[in-house]
Amino acid sequence: MRPWTTRSDAMILCLTLLGLQTPAAPAARIDWPGFLARHDLVWERLPTRWGESAFIGNGRLGATIDAQGGVLGWTINRTDVVHDQSRFPIGRVFVKTIGTAQGGSARLTLWDAEASGTVTTDRGEVRWRSFTAAQPSVIVIVLEGRGGERDLDLDWAPAEARPPRKVARKEAFLPSDLHPAPSITRSAAGITSVQTFITGGAHAESIRRAGARVFYVSIGRGNTDSEALAEAQAATAEAARLGLKRLAAAHRQWWHAYYPASFLTFPDARLEAYYWIQIYKLGSAMRPDGPILDLNGPWFNATPWPAIWWNLNIQLTYSPLFRANRLDLAESLFRNLDQHRQALIDNVPERLRDQAAAIGRSSGPDLVRSVDLTTAQSDAAHEMGDLPWTMYYYWLHYRYQMDDRMLRERVYPLLKLAIGNYLGYVERGDDGRWHLPPTHSPELATVPDANYDLALLRWGLETLIASAQRLGLEEPLLPRWRDVLANLAPFPSDSAGLMVGRGRPWQQSHRHYSHLLAIYPLRLITPDHPDQRALIETSLATWERDISLFRGYSFTGGAAMHAVLGHGDVAMTRLNQYLEAPRYVEPNTFYAEAGPVIETPLSAAASIQELFLQDWGGALRVFPAVPSGWADVAFDQLRADGAFLVSAVRRSGRTAWVRIESIAGERCRLVVPDWDTAVVRAHAGPAPRVTNAGTGQFVLELVKGASVVLAPDAAAPLPDVDPVPLPAGRNPFPILKHGLGTTQP
């Protein structure tokens, strides 16, 4: 955190002495299986499509489970099966029953990350359970038949290999798009299927039977048929060798360690459930060594967007990880940025490749997509800010752990290149200011001095200068960075607030808020300055004038911006408006517009986090935007800028205590809006220095590894972190219309 002026040493001494006389710190006492069970997805009838399905995954391989045409099946996918920069559908494994299905039920148990259920037929009953193991990477299916359904087996229906974007747009196929039908082999031991692509590469599936009840399913990929098939068969063979018991134990061990990384609870059954289902979804769709999570992840469905989109989607997808203290999953993005740095450099014109890097609007996992303002191509080629916006989250990845080696070797060099692309185009105007030529503000317009790009350039320059100073670098570009920053054109605005760019006022509400990036998430314009607060409020009111033009992520973005203003009730209203959009929000929390887009539900999780903890303006802000109806809320081990783990409990409408643990020994400025004073009630490590800076602000000096518990007085009880009771009789999953859980006929 940035330095802050402290008051007298006498107050510091008083606070420290109080800490020496206090009892032990409160604890988090969470029955995790019981807590998560109240948020399990439960179906009173079998789901029948992608948006109702149960879904499982291991960060690379996954399946949606539903009953299509009365037949229970697993639509299987693998995120890194990509051809010609595009995802492709794989196929469907389904249960062969003797009788005709008449009904069934299902449950997705979050704690164990396992789906299970029953299918009743006119001949008997099938009980099933399924999960996706990580090592080896297989989908495990366990079937148990009763009555006339004792002789059970699986079968395979491959998908047709055609480019999904062309299918969605009903475009004509080229000869190179007409890939041959897969080669399928069936035997008593199982099924194999090999799909060859005309221009090279293949994927293969192995379905292996292990005894009467257990099946293992895997997808391999490779440059050749044999390579792809060998990978798939090796995985199912290893699964058979290890056996169901060991696979299930390892699977549960990972998940039971995953959930407790952080905790959040509040008295809204639907929103709390939605949040925890997204935490499950993140663990199912990402792993540190896995591929970048694109718009579909391991649950591919028919889509016009079968790739990675960089002008909002990837940023929102990864946004909840940092506060949720799940930084390891974010490596699936940042490790791939590092590995493909040369591709990012090659995306800019040759004249800039010694100083710049970029990525265009969309790409495959190779990150190849050029950006060049000198071309007459579409707006996509003029979208300059997509890599800098992604780098903002890479910066958070660093700031939430304060690993200076990461800053020096990974973040700083790539950020320098990303901002270098802007510096290759800025021009000094007659007003003496540095201006940007026409660039594209995503989904809005191509205009000079686009607020989208000015915000990212300003943030990037500030961050590079601060990073060079922290690392003690003799950076030759520092004078230029300082000059451009000091003389950069101001954000274009008018009486309606922030404009799209110079000469382009805001015209009508639109789903994308690219022109508001300086407000959120960059927070270059903040509400702690009265003039800036007025600009935020005006800009937000203008953007929200006609919310009928919004889509899901518009509501989640608006919720986050209202949370920054402290408008907790409005933020909750926006989140509920999002959940009540049945055209887009699916019963199982999936989301689709013209096709699946995974980022919006995940951005809702990030917006919920903003109600409980924010870090901007050099301060950590505890309970900055809790809705007025939530008297009791709590969180444990949320992570914050400066590498702090923060826990807090609010009871009867007032903050009972706050715990701050320092991972890196940075100075911490804390804001608790409903406190006038604070006392140290407990601490671990050396006695902390805590100074009251007034108006609910406190400055903490904590050494690395130390922690402190603060409360508003010396006598108030310190309640443990426990799940908040939900309203009596509320079940968040009884009906389809709210977009969650149990579906009914």
Side-chain angles (χ1 to χ4, degrees):
M1 308 301 293
R2 63 183 69 170
W4 198 256
T5 304
T6 62
R7 292 189 178 181
S8 69
D9 288 342
M11 182 173 290
I12 296 171
L13 178 60
C14 176
L15 291 167
T16 302
L17 289 174
L18 279 168
L20 296 175
Q21 304 168 15
T22 54
R29 305 187 188 281
I30 302 154
D31 170 15
W32 279 100
F35 172 73
L36 288 175
R38 73 188 196 183
H39 302 317
D40 286 351
L41 284 145
V42 181
W43 292 260
E44 293 175 353
R45 68 158 170 85
L46 286 173
T48 59
R49 58 185 179 85
W50 172 86
E52 294 180 359
S53 64
F55 53 97
I56 55 175
N58 65 11
R60 189 186 307 266
L61 176 69
T64 51
I65 308 169
D66 53 27
Q68 298 180 12
V71 178
L72 179 68
W74 285 248
T75 301
I76 65 171
N77 285 279
R78 178 170 157 170
T79 307
D80 56 353
V81 172
V82 175
H83 176 71
D84 194 22
Q85 293 196 325
S86 174
R87 295 286 300 279
F88 272 73
I90 302 296
R92 186 170 174 84
V93 177
F94 60 92
V95 180
K96 295 171 64 177
T97 58
I98 302 299
T100 301
Q102 296 181 324
S105 62
R107 186 181 193 101
L108 180 57
T109 303
L110 299 182
W111 176 240
D112 290 337
E114 180 174 297
S116 61
T118 62
V119 179
T120 56
T121 76
D122 56 4
R123 300 289 295 274
E125 181 183 71
V126 179
R127 293 188 176 185
W128 60 272
R129 54 184 279 244
S130 186
F131 61 91
T132 309
Q135 295 293 335
S137 184
V138 295
I139 296 165
V140 179
I141 300 173
V142 182
L143 303 177
E144 179 184 351
R146 298 187 174 188
E149 296 290 358
R150 295 184 182 277
D151 186 18
L152 294 170
D153 203 354
L154 296 179
D155 206 346
W156 168 245
E160 186 177 36
R162 296 292 181 267
R165 193 164 174 84
K166 290 187 177 182
V167 172
R169 295 181 168 190
K170 298 181 179 176
E171 297 175 355
F173 296 131
L174 298 174
S176 59
D177 297 328
L178 302 177
H179 306 291
S183 173
I184 301 173
T185 302
R186 291 177 171 86
S187 69
I191 303 169
T192 63
S193 177
V194 179
Q195 174 66 62
T196 303
F197 293 112
I198 290 175
T199 54
H203 66 77
E205 292 68 55
S206 172
I207 304 168
R208 181 179 181 124
R209 184 166 195 150
R213 300 173 53 241
V214 181
F215 299 82
Y216 302 117
V217 181
S218 191
I219 304 172
R221 67 183 181 99
N223 295 320
T224 64
D225 293 3
S226 58
E227 187 175 300
L229 183 58
E231 182 184 10
Q233 289 183 312
T236 55
E238 176 65 6
R241 186 188 71 80
L242 291 171
L244 175 63
K245 184 175 181 180
R246 281 195 282 181
L247 288 174
H251 172 75
R252 292 180 180 182
Q253 182 181 30
W254 189 92
W255 280 96
H256 296 173
Y258 167 76
Y259 283 114
S262 65
F263 178 70
L264 192 157
T265 182
F266 50 97
D268 186 305
R270 183 169 63 164
L271 279 176
E272 187 184 82
Y274 202 86
Y275 178 82
W276 282 102
I277 293 167
Q278 305 323 303
I279 296 299
Y280 164 78
K281 191 181 294 179
L282 288 165
S284 300
M286 296 179 187
R287 294 296 165 91
D289 60 349
I292 296 174
L293 178 54
D294 61 14
L295 273 67
N296 284 258
W299 310 298
F300 185 86
N301 195 33
T303 180
W305 301 308
I308 305 167
W309 254 257
W310 297 90
N311 60 355
L312 172 138
N313 308 79
I314 197 72
Q315 292 87 351
L316 298 194
T317 294
Y318 281 80
S319 63
L321 293 173
F322 311 99
R323 180 80 69 233
N325 194 25
R326 301 174 200 279
L327 301 181
D328 58 331
L329 298 187
E331 280 293 322
S332 60
L333 171 59
F334 303 128
R335 176 180 49 80
N336 277 288
L337 288 181
D338 295 340
Q339 291 177 354
H340 294 90
R341 185 184 297 181
Q342 188 58 51
L344 297 172
I345 293 170
D346 291 341
N347 285 337
V348 304
E350 188 173 356
R351 68 178 181 85
L352 295 176
R353 288 178 186 166
D354 62 340
Q355 66 186 67
I359 193 163
R361 181 175 298 171
S362 65
S363 79
D366 58 5
L367 309 193
V368 174
R369 183 56 61 91
S370 64
V371 176
D372 186 353
L373 294 191
T374 65
T375 68
Q377 297 177 25
S378 65
D379 289 335
H382 295 78
E383 224 165 68
M384 295 274 287
D386 299 344
L387 180 59
W389 189 2
T390 307
M391 289 304 301
Y392 168 74
Y393 290 97
Y394 206 165
W395 170 251
L396 291 188
H397 193 51
Y398 156 69
R399 287 292 303 180
Y400 278 44
Q401 51 194 311
M402 298 303 295
D403 178 352
D404 282 353
R405 181 177 177 182
M406 173 187 290
L407 176 62
R408 182 185 301 272
E409 298 178 1
R410 300 176 63 190
V411 180
Y412 181 83
L414 189 52
L415 179 60
K416 183 176 173 180
L417 292 169
I419 300 305
N421 197 37
Y422 281 130
L423 297 179
Y425 293 98
V426 292
E427 302 167 343
R428 181 84 75 170
D430 293 339
D431 58 358
R433 297 271 192 177
W434 289 103
H435 294 270
L436 284 169
T439 60
H440 190 66
S441 184
E443 298 196 3
L444 299 180
T446 299
V447 290
D449 286 338
N451 269 321
Y452 174 72
D453 291 294
L454 282 177
L456 288 162
L457 175 55
R458 182 172 294 278
W459 168 80
L461 290 170
E462 289 179 352
T463 302
L464 284 170
I465 292 168
S467 298
Q469 291 172 339
R470 181 177 181 92
L471 296 173
L473 300 178
E474 295 182 4
E475 173 58 67
L477 289 175
L478 271 173
R480 175 159 170 75
W481 292 345
R482 289 179 174 134
D483 173 51
V484 175
L485 179 61
N487 298 289
L488 188 61
F491 298 125
S493 63
D494 59 14
S495 60
L498 290 172
M499 301 163 65
V500 177
R502 177 160 44 97
R504 173 62 157 79
W506 186 254
Q507 295 178 348
Q508 67 178 18
S509 295
H510 187 279
R511 65 179 183 174
H512 208 301
Y513 50 87
S514 59
H515 68 302
L516 301 180
L517 232 61
I519 299 171
Y520 180 82
L522 301 181
R523 306 178 209 259
L524 300 173
I525 303 170
T526 58
D528 51 349
H529 303 286
D531 57 333
Q532 293 187 16
R533 172 175 281 272
L535 178 60
I536 295 172
E537 290 174 341
T538 301
S539 302
L540 193 50
T542 298
W543 177 57
E544 293 183 325
R545 189 175 295 151
D546 183 2
I547 62 174
S548 67
L549 299 173
F550 278 9
R551 297 296 182 265
Y553 66 75
S554 316
F555 291 108
T556 65
M561 285 183 248
H562 281 291
V564 171
L565 290 168
H567 299 165
D569 288 343
V570 181
M572 185 175 69
T573 296
R574 294 291 179 266
L575 288 167
N576 284 323
Q577 287 172 319
Y578 156 65
L579 290 181
E580 290 159 7
R583 287 186 301 163
Y584 307 114
V585 179
E586 296 285 358
N588 61 1
T589 82
F590 282 179
Y591 178 88
E593 292 180 19
V597 276
I598 204 170
E599 82 291 319
T600 295
L602 301 178
S603 73
S607 298
I608 290 169
Q609 294 167 357
E610 296 284 348
L611 307 177
F612 297 89
L613 182 64
Q614 297 175 18
D615 46 16
W616 51 267
L620 309 186
R621 301 165 190 271
V622 174
F623 299 130
V626 175
S628 58
W630 295 359
D632 296 346
V633 297
F635 64 85
D636 187 54
Q637 293 196 115
L638 295 185
R639 195 173 273 254
D641 181 78
F644 298 101
L645 290 176
V646 187
S647 306
V649 168
R650 182 180 174 91
R651 289 288 181 265
S652 301
R654 192 184 187 201
T655 304
W657 57 265
V658 178
R659 179 196 295 118
I660 306 289
E661 178 183 349
S662 177
I663 305 300
E666 298 288 310
R667 175 176 289 187
C668 177
R669 179 178 162 222
L670 175 69
V671 177
V672 186
D674 58 354
W675 284 2
D676 295 320
T677 60
V679 298
V680 176
R681 295 291 300 272
H683 66 85
R689 292 167 55 89
V690 182
T691 305
N692 189 333
T695 62
Q697 302 179 39
F698 309 93
V699 180
L700 285 67
E701 302 279 357
L702 289 167
V703 303
K704 181 177 180 179
S707 65
V708 61
V709 177
L710 300 177
D713 58 63
L718 302 179
D720 290 329
V721 179
D722 293 310
V724 171
L726 297 179
R730 285 289 305 275
N731 179 349
F733 306 120
I735 50 179
L736 180 60
K737 72 178 183 180
H738 288 310
L740 288 175
T742 303
T743 58
Q744 295 180 347

